[in-house]
Amino acid sequence: MQEPAGTLDIRRFESSGSVHTIELGEASLDDLTEDQLLWIDLEGGSEPTITDVLGRLGIDDEVAAWFLDRSAMPELRVRNGWFFVRVVAVRNDGELAYNGTVLAILAGRNFVITSHKDPVDFLTKLRERESHDSGLGMLGADSFTASLLDWHVNSYFDAVADFESADERLETDILDDRHGECLHSLRGLRKAASRLRRMLSAHRGVFAAIARPDFRPGTDGEVNRHFQTVDMHFQRAMEAVENAREVVIGSFELFSNQTALRTNAIMRVLTILAALMGGLAVIAGVLGMNFEAPFFKTGLTGFVIAVSLMTGLALAGLALAWWRKWL
């Protein structure tokens, strides 16, 4: 089955704040001035479509091959003043089912090309926000790419926020004793935390590389600070993801404690009932002895007295247990 052609969005940002949506035939990487920033975003599309778009922009086959690589492994490449980075943005498909969307970014002199097979939420929001009167034209391609990578890291913070909300709901259900399948939910949280950690930790090499001084030695210090800030943001995201695993452990301990408390309460009730029944059994056993005592010759009156005595003792025992809050 042939893949759809995809959606191509091309915008040229001016330093004056104006934004121009242009066609592919109008886009020229060589004619860009220092006061312009060209952003080309390709969503979906088959390999021939991607190759055609990059070819018409003058991108050689070697760089085009980086885009055509469908690997989900984050990667950073540098060539002739351009750099290519592949990252995986996380999305929550519901019920903490975290999946990733591969985002490929190529940055050169005053242009940035992004390509992704599926929609990326933060790119959609960015296009809507910067549709007019945008200040992106004042940024260079490196700084704009740093912003995209920072938005990418934010997608993991959003995922952690969803995770923590689900965990809080589960803990509330545990404390209210309203959750009948806590172990199933805890297992789902554990899988989600592990999934987030695997997805984000794979980017460690990429973000460490862009934060090094030798990544863009020809640019000014402000650009390097932008990339270093993104790396710091990534480190905080890693800490948040690592903390998610600790949150699951804490929820499991809460579940274990609540289970132990319920078990203790049940055992306390059973102990009280066993003590009462044991006492009544002793009385019934004594009354069942075959001695020639006057009480055993009282007939129905003696039977009523014995039953009343046993009932009274049982009620007294239950009242004592209730008063002492054993029940």
Side-chain angles (χ1 to χ4, degrees), residues 24 33 44 49 62 69 92 109-110 134 138 149 161 176 183 213-214 225 227 274 290 292 296 305 313:
L24 180 60
T33 67
T49 302
E62 181 181 351
D69 186 355
N92 183 3
R109 190 185 69 85
N110 298 326
S134 172
M138 301 178 65
L149 293 176
D176 292 342
L183 283 177
D214 61 342
R225 284 193 297 272
F227 285 116
N290 294 322
E292 292 293 333
F296 295 109
I305 293 174
L313 289 175

Side-chain angles (χ1 to χ4, degrees), residues 10-275:
I10 305 177
R11 302 187 186 192
R12 187 177 65 237
F13 301 93
E14 309 285 346
S15 60
S16 60
S18 59
V19 181
H20 305 282
T21 300
I22 61 178
E23 299 297 329
L24 180 60
E26 305 175 61
S28 174
L29 304 184
D30 297 328
D31 296 337
L32 294 172
T33 67
E34 295 300 325
D35 296 327
Q36 296 176 330
L37 174 65
L38 183 67
W39 178 23
I40 302 173
D41 181 63
L42 176 60
E43 179 180 312
S46 60
E47 290 189 7
T49 302
I50 297 175
T51 303
D52 178 63
V53 170
L54 297 179
R56 295 177 66 177
L57 291 171
I59 306 296
D60 60 49
D61 294 340
E62 181 181 351
V63 177
W66 300 346
F67 279 93
L68 298 177
D69 186 355
R70 296 294 187 177
S71 171
M73 190 65 187
E75 182 182 20
L76 176 67
R77 294 173 179 263
V78 180
R79 180 175 180 271
N80 296 334
W82 296 358
F83 70 92
F84 171 86
V85 60
R86 183 191 303 117
V87 293
V88 180
V90 66
R91 68 178 188 273
N92 183 3
D93 291 335
E95 300 296 330
L96 299 184
Y98 293 120
N99 290 297
T101 300
V102 177
L103 173 63
I105 305 173
L106 177 66
R109 190 185 69 85
N110 298 326
F111 75 88
V112 174
I113 302 174
T114 56
S115 175
H116 45 98
K117 185 176 181 180
D118 300 313
V120 178
D121 288 342
F122 67 82
L123 291 182
T124 302
K125 294 177 181 178
L126 184 60
R127 285 196 299 266
E128 294 174 353
R129 191 189 71 180
E130 305 295 340
S131 59
H132 57 276
D133 295 332
S134 172
L136 291 182
M138 301 178 65
L139 297 179
D142 291 354
S143 296
F144 179 57
T145 303
S147 296
L148 293 179
L149 293 176
D150 197 59
W151 278 75
H152 157 260
V153 173
N154 272 337
S155 69
Y156 284 87
F157 280 110
D158 294 338
V160 171
D162 293 340
F163 176 90
E164 291 176 344
S165 297
D167 183 78
E168 289 175 1
R169 290 192 297 269
L170 175 61
E171 289 187 350
T172 300
D173 289 341
I174 292 174
L175 291 173
D176 292 342
D177 200 15
R178 291 188 287 109
H179 204 285
E181 298 182 356
C182 293
L183 283 177
H184 176 74
S185 298
L186 284 169
R187 184 165 56 249
L189 287 174
R190 182 67 175 84
K191 290 175 60 178
S194 298
R195 172 72 169 163
L196 277 178
R197 184 182 182 279
R198 288 195 304 271
M199 292 178 65
L200 185 58
S201 62
H203 296 82
R204 187 176 283 114
V206 170
F207 285 97
I210 65 175
R212 288 197 293 264
D214 61 342
F215 172 55
R216 304 295 281 170
T219 58
D220 56 29
E222 184 177 1
V223 170
N224 289 327
R225 284 193 297 272
H226 290 165
F227 285 116
Q228 291 168 2
T229 300
V230 174
D231 180 55
M232 293 174 58
H233 202 186
F234 167 77
Q235 297 298 334
R236 290 198 295 270
M238 278 300 306
E239 292 174 0
V241 170
E242 292 286 356
N243 183 64
R245 303 176 67 188
E246 300 298 326
V247 167
V248 176
I249 295 175
S251 297
F252 180 77
E253 291 178 350
L254 177 63
F255 171 72
S256 299
N257 291 337
Q258 288 297 107
T259 301
L261 288 174
R262 288 195 298 270
T263 302
N264 290 339
I266 293 172
M267 293 303 298
R268 185 166 57 246
V269 172
L270 292 176
T271 301
I272 294 171
L273 293 178

